[in-house]
Amino acid sequence: MLTRAELLARDADRARRALALPAYNEGLELLQRLSLADDERFPRRLAIALQNRGLALQDTSVRAAIDSFSSAIAVLEN
């Protein structure tokens, strides 16, 4: 789901780019169910997904984008 979101976010068509956000949300929901301590790649992947979701949110809500970026930073700091 996250790969789909990343591809949609890069699409030139604005309508297709709008589909990226629900895809990010679905992918993040699945990723956040994992125990981040089980694999060192999990926290980094979660932070990347949150960062990319923040980039996708910039067009619609700066506040939500900042929140997503802040969540990414928090994941990496833990």
Side-chain angles (χ1 to χ4, degrees), residues 14 18 21 53-65:
R14 186 176 179 93
L21 192 55
R53 180 179 178 268
L55 292 172
L57 283 165
Q58 288 183 113
D59 290 339
T60 57
S61 173
V62 172
R63 177 76 260 164

Side-chain angles (χ1 to χ4, degrees), residues 9 11 22 35 47 52 56 60 70:
D11 200 293
S35 172
N52 289 341
T60 57
S70 296

Side-chain angles (χ1 to χ4, degrees), residues 8 10-18:
L8 288 168
R10 290 174 177 80
D11 200 293
D13 183 292
R14 186 176 179 93
R16 288 187 50 82
R17 277 198 317 270

